[in-house]
Each structure stands twice: as structure tokens, then as C-alpha cells.
Amino acid sequence: MRVYHRGGTMAGCFLLLLPILFPSLFSPLSHASPSVFSEWNAPKPRHSLLLKSALQRQTFSEEQSDLWMPLTFQGWKPCAESNIASTLPEKSEGYIQVFLDGGLNQQRMAICDAVVVAKILNATLVIPYLEVNPVWQDSSTFMDIFDVDHFIKALKDDVAIVKELPDEFSWSTREYYATAIRPTRIKTAPVHASTNWYLDNVLPVLQSYGIAAIAPFSHRLTFDNLPKRLQHLRCKVNFQALVFVPHIRNLGDVLVNRLRDPSAKSNMVGSNNYLRQVSEKYKQGAGKFVVLHLRFDKDMAAHSACDFGGGKAEKLALAKYRQVIWQGRVLNSQFTDEELRSQGRCPLTPEEIGLLLAALGFDNSTRLYLASHKVYGGEARISTLRSLFPLMEDKKSLASSDERALIKGKASLLAAVDYYVSMHSDIFVSASPGNMHNAMVGHRTYYNLKTIRPNMVLLGQLYLNKTLSWPDFREAIVEGHKNRQGQIRLRKPKQSEYTYPAPDCMCQG
């Protein structure tokens, strides 16, 4: 008993010393870092029976043909140029600044809203300021990510846009608003504010000072009860005006070309040829590929409050992380893991998304592109997915260090490349809902491209059944995803136009 007690005491002391011995694990700045625990204690497969069968799976040519078949026309297509005349006001009411937080996709949606708000107010929009993301620590600007000249030109008949403020307003900076309450800053914009709210609350500031800065500005414009011309403008910004800078598009083309033609991978170009154009037209019969957005970072894992099989050490690490980042205030933490899974509220692990793809009929010859930032648990957690899909690629495996030089360490640019490749894939799958999922579902719906939306509730319940056979699992998966592969879903009240572009951005015909 004495030996047992001493061992328990030593273990307890060790756990208490962990934040001191490994401070990066508990630092609020280590959002993107894989947990040290997961490297010590790599989780074993949680669904070993299904995994064993999946590794031995066989697929048939007819099944493969149906899987890769493009979507048939569903009666909706992108609207032609709006027949509603759009003209600039004779005199601008002043300058509108917006400060955008969040990741790339959240900022993208906010940019679209900002253009519409400028239109509502007859104001001149200053190119949006992108806040430094506290998670990824990326200081990339609008002009680093998007083709600003194309953006201004595409919207020249709709909204006046300037790259920077004139000298008389040069004082209106992010630092200026951070130091004190300022009469030109609007902090009170409600989520999904109406056009009347902007006319009542922002227009007077513009008229008094000639400038208004709105921060925060995320999800600050309603999706409902907007005139058609404003809804169409939102669509125009999202699908026509927002284009990535040339070096992102060029690298994206390189990656797509190598995914479609594996032999091209051996010809990685050096930095001197980094910006060379790659043809968008590929050989007839070229290979197909799936993009998987694996949204399984440390933030996602911790905030979900689910158990991912890493044992007590991982539970302790995630609990500590929740305490440091959110002071423990996570709604899901009041539920058991089983309750969360049965409600579809746990993000899919690499193993679980791999089993889903295998059950849908993707075989081990499928070329899979992994679009994601650092995965929580690193390679130890991805290994099961890689065993199911050995031809899995990502930016690092497809492009040389020289080719990636302009995007290295810049989360927004990395995400932009993934977005571009995702839009050019035959099939897109997102492991869990989120801003990338929503943006991609909407953008691919606009072009009638196949996009598989995992049935999270069904999957959560199936994975709770540890005795489920592979045939039964596969049958349930196929049946449960028949109508989740890109079928048009019309937007309902309060839903986002960026996820459901029909009918606001699409026309029947």
C-alpha cells in the first residue's frame, strides 16, 4: 500500500508540474500546436472493428462511376448580370471603415456585407482592415490575399472604393480607436442589423464627421428583408469581385495539376518559376480527386468537450486549455461524451471521417487532398486516415519549399490556397461544420459542384455502437447521405446567403 501511495503522489506531483515543464502546452498562444500529450500517448483506433473491415474493403466499378459522377443540372444556375440598374451617388456621404476579425472565411463574408453597407449609406468604402487573428497570429492584409484592383474594378458601378483614406482622415487608424472611446467609432452594431439600423445610427455619424468606423464587424447585416438589388450585390461581391492574388491562384493551379496528373509531382518547380502559369485545361481522362477539410485543431477539440481517446492526459490538457482560453465556460462541458455524440456535436476525428469516406465507396486508390491547418495530435492522429487513403496529399507533399515560400507561416494565405484547390476539386467534404464548410457549400452550390455534407447526428450514433458490423455501417452511411451531396437547398429565413445561394444569387432556367 505504501508503494502504491508513493506512486500516486509522484504522479500527482508530475501532473501539477506539467504547466511548468511544458508551458507551451498550456499557453493561450499555442492554439495551433499539437498537444504534447498526443505525441506521448498516441490514441489507438477507437473503431477497430470497422477499421479492420474498411482496410479490407472492396469497391466495384459501377459503384465508383456513380460516386464520381458530376451532379446533374438541378434547375438553378448563377444569375446573369442583374437587370437592376446600379449607379453611384453624385456625392458620397463619407468614408466607411470596417475592422474584420475571425479567419479567412469569416472575413470573406464580412467583406461582402461591408460593400452592401456602403451601398446602403451611399458611402465610400475603404478597403477593409483585417485584424491580426489571435489564434493564428497572421498579419496578412486584404491586399496580401485578394486582388484589390480586380475588386475595385468589378464593383466600380456599384460602390466607390478606395485603397486608403485621404490625408485629412489619416488619423482614423486601428490604434486610434484602441486607446479611447471615439465618436466616429460604431461599436453597437447588432448581429444581423437591418438597413434601417444603419440609416438611423451610422448615417448621422457620416454626415457629422465625414467618416465612420465600424468595429466589430462580423455578421452585422441581416439576410432578410433586403431589397433584391442589395442581395444581388452581396452575391456579386462573393462570386465575382473577391478573387485571390495571382501567386495564390498560380500555386493553386500547380497543386490541382499535380493532383490530377501524379507524374507532374516529380517536376516541382524552383522559386524562379514559382509564378509560371499552369493551364486550367487538363488532359481528357485526367485523374479525379477529393478535397477533405479536416477541421480538427486544438481549439475545436477543446471547445467541443468531447472525448477523443487520448486518455486522462489528453482530457487534462483539453480541460486546462478550456480554462485558460474560455475560463472553462464551454456549453458542451455539461453533457457527457455519449450525449454529445448522439446529438452530433462532436467533431469527426481523422479516423472517423476516413471510415465515412470508405463506407461511401472511396477506395485506397482515391487521391485525397487534405485542406486544414495543423491537426490536433499531429501525424499520430492522421495515421489511421492515411492507412485508409495512402495517396493522401497536402501543400507540403505536393509543392516544394521554394514554391510555398510566399505563403509559409501565413495562415490566411494557406487557407486561401486550400479554398482555391477546394473549388477545383471533383468532390469536397468537410469533416465538421464551420466557416470553411459554410463558404464552400455555398460557393460550390453556386456552380453545381458535388459537395458531401456529413450527417453528424447519424455518424455520432453509429460510432457509439461498438459492435456494429461493416455491412450495416456501410448501408446506414450510404442511405444517410443520399441527399447530402450537393442537392440545392433553398435559403430559409435567417439562414445565410453565403451557405444557401438559391434563390438570392441563382436563377431558374
Short mmCIF file of all heavy atoms in Angstrom, two decimals, residues 195-225:
data_model
loop_
_atom_site.label_atom_id
_atom_site.label_comp_id
_atom_site.label_asym_id
_atom_site.label_seq_id
_atom_site.Cartn_x
_atom_site.Cartn_y
_atom_site.Cartn_z
N THR A 195 -31.25 47.38 -42.56
CA THR A 195 -30.84 48.57 -43.31
C THR A 195 -31.22 49.83 -42.54
O THR A 195 -30.45 50.79 -42.50
CB THR A 195 -31.49 48.59 -44.70
OG1 THR A 195 -32.92 48.48 -44.55
CG2 THR A 195 -31.00 47.44 -45.56
N ASN A 196 -32.40 49.81 -41.91
CA ASN A 196 -32.84 50.98 -41.15
C ASN A 196 -31.92 51.27 -39.97
O ASN A 196 -31.71 52.43 -39.61
CB ASN A 196 -34.28 50.80 -40.65
CG ASN A 196 -35.29 50.94 -41.77
OD1 ASN A 196 -35.00 51.56 -42.80
ND2 ASN A 196 -36.47 50.38 -41.59
N TRP A 197 -31.36 50.23 -39.37
CA TRP A 197 -30.45 50.46 -38.24
C TRP A 197 -29.24 51.27 -38.71
O TRP A 197 -28.81 52.21 -38.04
CB TRP A 197 -29.98 49.14 -37.64
CG TRP A 197 -29.19 49.36 -36.38
CD1 TRP A 197 -29.66 49.42 -35.10
CD2 TRP A 197 -27.79 49.65 -36.30
NE1 TRP A 197 -28.64 49.72 -34.22
CE2 TRP A 197 -27.49 49.87 -34.93
CE3 TRP A 197 -26.77 49.75 -37.24
CZ2 TRP A 197 -26.20 50.17 -34.48
CZ3 TRP A 197 -25.48 50.06 -36.80
CH2 TRP A 197 -25.21 50.25 -35.43
N TYR A 198 -28.70 50.91 -39.88
CA TYR A 198 -27.55 51.65 -40.40
C TYR A 198 -27.93 53.09 -40.77
O TYR A 198 -27.15 54.02 -40.53
CB TYR A 198 -26.95 50.91 -41.61
CG TYR A 198 -26.13 49.72 -41.19
CD1 TYR A 198 -26.66 48.43 -41.21
CD2 TYR A 198 -24.82 49.89 -40.74
CE1 TYR A 198 -25.90 47.35 -40.79
CE2 TYR A 198 -24.06 48.80 -40.33
CZ TYR A 198 -24.60 47.53 -40.36
OH TYR A 198 -23.85 46.46 -39.93
N LEU A 199 -29.09 53.27 -41.34
CA LEU A 199 -29.53 54.62 -41.72
C LEU A 199 -29.77 55.48 -40.48
O LEU A 199 -29.48 56.68 -40.48
CB LEU A 199 -30.81 54.53 -42.56
CG LEU A 199 -30.63 53.90 -43.96
CD1 LEU A 199 -31.99 53.67 -44.62
CD2 LEU A 199 -29.75 54.77 -44.85
N ASP A 200 -30.25 54.86 -39.42
CA ASP A 200 -30.56 55.61 -38.20
C ASP A 200 -29.33 55.87 -37.32
O ASP A 200 -29.26 56.88 -36.62
CB ASP A 200 -31.61 54.86 -37.36
CG ASP A 200 -32.97 54.81 -38.03
OD1 ASP A 200 -33.21 55.62 -38.95
OD2 ASP A 200 -33.79 53.94 -37.66
N ASN A 201 -28.36 54.95 -37.35
CA ASN A 201 -27.26 55.01 -36.38
C ASN A 201 -25.89 55.34 -36.97
O ASN A 201 -25.03 55.88 -36.27
CB ASN A 201 -27.15 53.68 -35.63
CG ASN A 201 -28.36 53.41 -34.76
OD1 ASN A 201 -28.44 53.87 -33.63
ND2 ASN A 201 -29.33 52.67 -35.29
N VAL A 202 -25.67 55.02 -38.23
CA VAL A 202 -24.36 55.25 -38.83
C VAL A 202 -24.38 56.46 -39.76
O VAL A 202 -23.43 57.24 -39.78
CB VAL A 202 -23.88 53.99 -39.59
CG1 VAL A 202 -22.48 54.23 -40.17
CG2 VAL A 202 -23.87 52.78 -38.66
N LEU A 203 -25.46 56.64 -40.49
CA LEU A 203 -25.53 57.77 -41.42
C LEU A 203 -25.33 59.13 -40.71
O LEU A 203 -24.58 59.97 -41.22
CB LEU A 203 -26.86 57.75 -42.18
CG LEU A 203 -27.02 58.82 -43.27
CD1 LEU A 203 -25.89 58.72 -44.29
CD2 LEU A 203 -28.39 58.68 -43.95
N PRO A 204 -25.94 59.36 -39.54
CA PRO A 204 -25.70 60.64 -38.85
C PRO A 204 -24.23 60.87 -38.50
O PRO A 204 -23.74 62.01 -38.54
CB PRO A 204 -26.56 60.52 -37.58
CG PRO A 204 -27.64 59.56 -37.95
CD PRO A 204 -26.98 58.56 -38.85
N VAL A 205 -23.51 59.81 -38.16
CA VAL A 205 -22.07 59.93 -37.85
C VAL A 205 -21.31 60.33 -39.12
O VAL A 205 -20.43 61.20 -39.09
CB VAL A 205 -21.52 58.61 -37.27
CG1 VAL A 205 -20.01 58.71 -37.04
CG2 VAL A 205 -22.24 58.26 -35.98
N LEU A 206 -21.66 59.69 -40.23
CA LEU A 206 -21.04 60.03 -41.50
C LEU A 206 -21.26 61.50 -41.84
O LEU A 206 -20.34 62.22 -42.25
CB LEU A 206 -21.61 59.16 -42.62
CG LEU A 206 -21.04 57.76 -42.83
CD1 LEU A 206 -21.81 57.04 -43.91
CD2 LEU A 206 -19.57 57.82 -43.19
N GLN A 207 -22.49 61.93 -41.69
CA GLN A 207 -22.84 63.30 -42.06
C GLN A 207 -22.19 64.32 -41.14
O GLN A 207 -21.90 65.45 -41.54
CB GLN A 207 -24.37 63.45 -42.06
CG GLN A 207 -25.03 62.64 -43.17
CD GLN A 207 -26.55 62.59 -43.05
OE1 GLN A 207 -27.10 62.74 -41.95
NE2 GLN A 207 -27.23 62.38 -44.17
N SER A 208 -21.93 63.93 -39.89
CA SER A 208 -21.31 64.85 -38.93
C SER A 208 -19.79 64.92 -39.07
O SER A 208 -19.19 66.00 -38.95
CB SER A 208 -21.64 64.43 -37.50
OG SER A 208 -23.03 64.53 -37.26
N TYR A 209 -19.15 63.78 -39.32
CA TYR A 209 -17.69 63.72 -39.29
C TYR A 209 -17.06 63.38 -40.64
O TYR A 209 -15.85 63.50 -40.79
CB TYR A 209 -17.22 62.68 -38.27
CG TYR A 209 -17.65 63.00 -36.85
CD1 TYR A 209 -18.81 62.45 -36.31
CD2 TYR A 209 -16.90 63.86 -36.05
CE1 TYR A 209 -19.21 62.74 -35.01
CE2 TYR A 209 -17.28 64.16 -34.75
CZ TYR A 209 -18.44 63.60 -34.24
OH TYR A 209 -18.83 63.90 -32.95
N GLY A 210 -17.87 62.90 -41.58
CA GLY A 210 -17.33 62.51 -42.88
C GLY A 210 -16.71 61.13 -42.89
O GLY A 210 -16.20 60.67 -43.92
N ILE A 211 -16.74 60.46 -41.73
CA ILE A 211 -16.15 59.12 -41.63
C ILE A 211 -16.81 58.38 -40.48
O ILE A 211 -17.22 58.99 -39.48
CB ILE A 211 -14.62 59.19 -41.42
CG1 ILE A 211 -14.00 57.81 -41.54
CG2 ILE A 211 -14.27 59.84 -40.08
CD1 ILE A 211 -12.48 57.83 -41.60
N ALA A 212 -16.95 57.06 -40.63
CA ALA A 212 -17.43 56.21 -39.55
C ALA A 212 -16.68 54.88 -39.63
O ALA A 212 -16.50 54.33 -40.71
CB ALA A 212 -18.94 55.97 -39.66
N ALA A 213 -16.23 54.41 -38.48
CA ALA A 213 -15.51 53.13 -38.40
C ALA A 213 -16.35 52.14 -37.61
O ALA A 213 -16.75 52.44 -36.48
CB ALA A 213 -14.16 53.33 -37.73
N ILE A 214 -16.65 50.99 -38.20
CA ILE A 214 -17.49 50.00 -37.55
C ILE A 214 -16.62 48.84 -37.09
O ILE A 214 -15.99 48.16 -37.90
CB ILE A 214 -18.60 49.48 -38.49
CG1 ILE A 214 -19.34 50.65 -39.13
CG2 ILE A 214 -19.58 48.59 -37.73
CD1 ILE A 214 -20.36 50.23 -40.17
N ALA A 215 -16.58 48.64 -35.77
CA ALA A 215 -15.81 47.53 -35.20
C ALA A 215 -16.41 47.18 -33.85
O ALA A 215 -16.62 48.07 -33.03
CB ALA A 215 -14.34 47.93 -35.03
N PRO A 216 -16.77 45.91 -33.62
CA PRO A 216 -16.53 44.79 -34.53
C PRO A 216 -17.51 44.78 -35.70
O PRO A 216 -18.58 45.36 -35.62
CB PRO A 216 -16.76 43.57 -33.63
CG PRO A 216 -17.74 44.06 -32.61
CD PRO A 216 -17.39 45.48 -32.36
N PHE A 217 -17.08 44.09 -36.79
CA PHE A 217 -17.95 43.99 -37.96
C PHE A 217 -17.91 42.55 -38.47
O PHE A 217 -17.12 42.20 -39.33
CB PHE A 217 -17.52 44.96 -39.05
CG PHE A 217 -18.50 45.06 -40.20
CD1 PHE A 217 -19.60 45.89 -40.10
CD2 PHE A 217 -18.34 44.30 -41.34
CE1 PHE A 217 -20.52 45.97 -41.14
CE2 PHE A 217 -19.24 44.37 -42.38
CZ PHE A 217 -20.34 45.21 -42.28
N SER A 218 -18.73 41.73 -37.90
CA SER A 218 -18.83 40.32 -38.30
C SER A 218 -20.27 39.89 -38.11
O SER A 218 -20.81 40.01 -37.01
CB SER A 218 -17.89 39.45 -37.46
OG SER A 218 -17.98 38.10 -37.84
N HIS A 219 -20.90 39.43 -39.17
CA HIS A 219 -22.32 39.05 -39.14
C HIS A 219 -23.17 40.26 -38.72
O HIS A 219 -24.09 40.13 -37.93
CB HIS A 219 -22.56 37.88 -38.18
CG HIS A 219 -21.64 36.72 -38.40
ND1 HIS A 219 -21.67 35.96 -39.54
CD2 HIS A 219 -20.64 36.19 -37.63
CE1 HIS A 219 -20.74 35.01 -39.47
NE2 HIS A 219 -20.11 35.13 -38.33
N ARG A 220 -22.88 41.43 -39.25
CA ARG A 220 -23.56 42.65 -38.81
C ARG A 220 -24.60 43.14 -39.81
O ARG A 220 -25.03 44.28 -39.73
CB ARG A 220 -22.54 43.77 -38.57
CG ARG A 220 -21.47 43.41 -37.56
CD ARG A 220 -22.00 43.27 -36.15
NE ARG A 220 -21.12 42.44 -35.34
CZ ARG A 220 -21.20 42.34 -34.02
NH1 ARG A 220 -22.14 43.01 -33.37
NH2 ARG A 220 -20.40 41.56 -33.36
N LEU A 221 -25.00 42.32 -40.76
CA LEU A 221 -26.03 42.72 -41.71
C LEU A 221 -27.03 41.58 -41.90
O LEU A 221 -26.63 40.42 -42.10
CB LEU A 221 -25.41 43.09 -43.05
CG LEU A 221 -26.39 43.56 -44.14
CD1 LEU A 221 -27.09 44.85 -43.71
CD2 LEU A 221 -25.66 43.76 -45.47
N THR A 222 -28.30 41.91 -41.84
CA THR A 222 -29.35 40.91 -41.95
C THR A 222 -29.34 40.19 -43.30
O THR A 222 -28.86 40.73 -44.30
CB THR A 222 -30.73 41.57 -41.74
OG1 THR A 222 -31.74 40.57 -41.80
CG2 THR A 222 -31.00 42.61 -42.82
N PHE A 223 -29.86 38.98 -43.31
CA PHE A 223 -30.05 38.25 -44.56
C PHE A 223 -31.49 38.38 -45.06
O PHE A 223 -31.80 37.94 -46.17
CB PHE A 223 -29.72 36.76 -44.37
CG PHE A 223 -28.25 36.50 -44.20
CD1 PHE A 223 -27.73 36.18 -42.96
CD2 PHE A 223 -27.39 36.59 -45.28
CE1 PHE A 223 -26.37 35.94 -42.80
CE2 PHE A 223 -26.03 36.36 -45.12
CZ PHE A 223 -25.52 36.03 -43.88
N ASP A 224 -32.34 38.96 -44.27
CA ASP A 224 -33.76 39.02 -44.60
C ASP A 224 -34.21 40.47 -44.82
O ASP A 224 -33.63 41.41 -44.28
CB ASP A 224 -34.59 38.39 -43.48
CG ASP A 224 -34.24 36.92 -43.25
OD1 ASP A 224 -34.02 36.21 -44.25
OD2 ASP A 224 -34.15 36.50 -42.09
N ASN A 225 -35.27 40.60 -45.63
CA ASN A 225 -35.91 41.90 -45.87
C ASN A 225 -34.97 42.93 -46.48
O ASN A 225 -35.09 44.12 -46.22
CB ASN A 225 -36.50 42.46 -44.56
CG ASN A 225 -37.51 41.50 -43.93
OD1 ASN A 225 -38.36 40.95 -44.62
ND2 ASN A 225 -37.40 41.29 -42.63
#
